[in-house]
Amino acid sequence: MTLEIQNVSKQYNGNKYGVKDFSLCIEKGILGLLGPNGAGKSTLLKMIATVSKPSDGIISLNKNNIAKDPNYIRKQLGFLPQDFGVYPNLNAYEFLEYMAAMKGVGGSDLKLRISVLLEGLNLIKAAKKPIGSYSGGMKQRLGIAQVLLNNPKIIIFDEPIVGLDPEERVRFRNLISDLANNCIVILSSHIVSDIDTIADKVAIMKNGTLVTNGSQDDIIKNVANKVFETRIEKENLVHFGEQHTVVSTTRKEDNLMVRYITENPIKDATKKQANLEDAYLYLTKTN
Ligand SMILES: Nc1ncnc2c1ncn2[C@@H]1O[C@H](COP(=O)(O)OP(=O)(O)OP(=O)(O)O)[C@@H](O)[C@H]1O
Ligand SMILES: [Mg+2]
């Protein structure tokens, strides 16, 4: 299974691009799509899900151009949009039955399938209550259940982890890892820790373009031997930040411990093992 994105752009009104000349070939496994707010993640994912069309370029699944034949991908697709709306008066069973009908999923085992999904997403206890009474995280989990109704082979989650508490995050990650064997799964986030434990591959976006992609190790190589830690005085942070890419700061008594990326560390700095967060911040920094 191959999803190929070739020179894809999305131009909004005027000259503004949401995505610009983006190319990437995605194979089965879990892809983490990382990028800061406004990077173009949702714009790209909506085009793959055929709810929006590229202004330029081609997206194809197994060599089928999805703009020419959207149903080819739709039949195999599960999509959780970032702004997933629900129907407050329906309960979870009714909502999933409704979504199943919309997706053309039926059969004698539909009820069982819905129960299994609700169980897997820890919603079974609340399943007969109206969705309007659910918490944000519960609605998010119902959105995830809806994605999986039709046994999709291409699964796209736009910021699925936002709003889930730590325990639900673990459940979600386990669920995704189980699913990913024969599927393409794309997970977007602006937070590295949302995806770094499960993504086989990572793509980083900024300003509508692809900054880099590859395995986590490949991406970390961008900052190998460049991550340091040192103690500075609070007053010097602004000046320090102008000279190095600061990744994080922690208070240490009256001073600050700064983790930063540089080619030229200051004297007595301690070298640190680079991680994906370091690379992400370095590659998407604004200056
Ligand atoms: N319908 C639209 N009309 C005009 N501009 C848009 C529209 N949708 C998105 N944009 C712009 O396109 C750019 C990319 O937006 P997009 O929502 O794809 O980013 P994102 O990476 O998903 O961000 P976030 O992390 O905040 O969800 C932004 O500058 C945004 O303002
Ligand atoms: Mg978005």
Side-chain angles (χ1 to χ4, degrees):
M1 182 148 42
T2 308
L3 179 68
E4 195 159 11
I5 305 166
Q6 291 168 280
N7 306 102
V8 165
S9 296
K10 177 77 186 183
Q11 199 167 12
Y12 289 119
N13 296 339
N15 278 333
K16 193 169 165 36
Y17 282 91
V19 167
K20 196 164 186 190
D21 201 16
F22 187 105
S23 297
L24 182 64
C25 186
I26 304 171
E27 306 278 351
K28 71 175 195 221
I30 304 175
L31 174 75
L33 179 64
L34 279 176
N37 292 141
K41 305 179 294 295
S42 297
T43 302
L44 179 71
L45 297 180
K46 282 189 254 180
M47 290 190 284
I48 299 173
T50 70
V51 292
S52 138
K53 279 196 177 144
S55 323
D56 231 319
I58 294 173
I59 304 176
S60 56
L61 176 64
N62 304 331
K63 309 255 182 230
N64 293 278
N65 181 337
I66 67 169
K68 291 205 175 126
D69 181 8
N71 287 341
Y72 178 73
I73 188 165
R74 283 176 191 165
K75 277 187 213 146
Q76 314 179 54
L77 179 78
F79 177 42
L80 179 67
Q82 187 168 8
D83 48 4
F84 171 68
V86 282
Y87 298 69
N89 299 321
L90 301 183
N91 70 34
Y93 286 112
E94 290 163 343
F95 171 72
L96 291 176
E97 278 167 11
Y98 177 81
M99 290 306 287
M102 300 257 284
K103 289 173 185 240
V105 179
S108 53
D109 63 345
L110 178 63
K111 279 206 157 45
L112 176 67
R113 183 158 177 73
I114 288 176
S115 295
V116 169
L117 284 170
L118 290 171
E119 188 75 58
L121 286 148
N122 202 16
L123 283 171
I124 205 91
K125 275 197 214 128
K128 289 192 174 150
K129 294 187 183 144
I131 300 166
S133 68
Y134 286 16
S135 71
M138 289 164 78
K139 286 181 192 153
Q140 188 74 346
R141 269 139 54 205
L142 188 59
I144 295 165
Q146 162 276 130
V147 166
L148 304 175
L149 267 174
N150 55 332
N151 257 331
K153 290 275 169 235
I154 310 253
I155 306 176
I156 301 176
F157 291 110
D158 196 356
E159 308 250 5
I161 294 178
V162 174
L164 298 187
D165 64 30
E167 199 178 327
E168 292 303 337
R169 284 173 189 221
V170 173
R171 286 175 79 100
F172 176 72
R173 289 202 187 96
N174 291 343
L175 183 84
I176 298 304
S177 308
D178 288 348
L179 281 172
N181 289 336
N182 272 313
C183 303
I184 289 176
V185 181
I186 309 176
L187 289 177
S188 83
S189 183
H190 55 276
I191 298 169
V192 172
S193 60
D194 283 353
I195 59 113
D196 63 352
T197 51
I198 49 170
D200 302 308
K201 294 273 175 65
V202 174
I204 297 181
M205 283 186 88
K206 184 187 165 187
N207 296 336
T209 62
L210 180 69
V211 177
T212 187
N213 79 98
S215 69
Q216 300 198 31
D217 286 345
D218 289 342
I219 291 174
I220 293 169
K221 279 187 194 134
N222 284 288
V223 289
N225 302 315
K226 292 184 193 159
V227 182
F228 294 88
E229 201 172 71
T230 196
R231 189 191 275 247
I232 63 166
E233 286 173 14
K234 271 191 217 145
E235 306 77 80
N236 294 340
L237 182 61
V238 173
H239 180 64
F240 192 88
E242 285 163 2
Q243 290 173 337
H244 311 283
T245 303
V246 173
V247 181
S248 65
T249 54
T250 16
R251 274 174 54 185
K252 270 265 151 54
E253 290 119 33
D254 281 345
N255 295 332
L256 289 175
M257 195 56 109
V258 187
R259 184 179 175 101
Y260 63 108
I261 298 157
T262 188
E263 304 269 352
N264 305 301
I266 63 165
K267 205 165 141 272
D268 299 331
T270 315
K271 193 162 155 191
K272 292 285 173 183
Q273 176 92 41
N275 61 34
L276 189 62
E277 174 94 26
D278 298 320
Y280 171 61
L281 288 171
Y282 180 69
L283 294 166
T284 57
K285 68 175 192 261
T286 40
N287 52 15

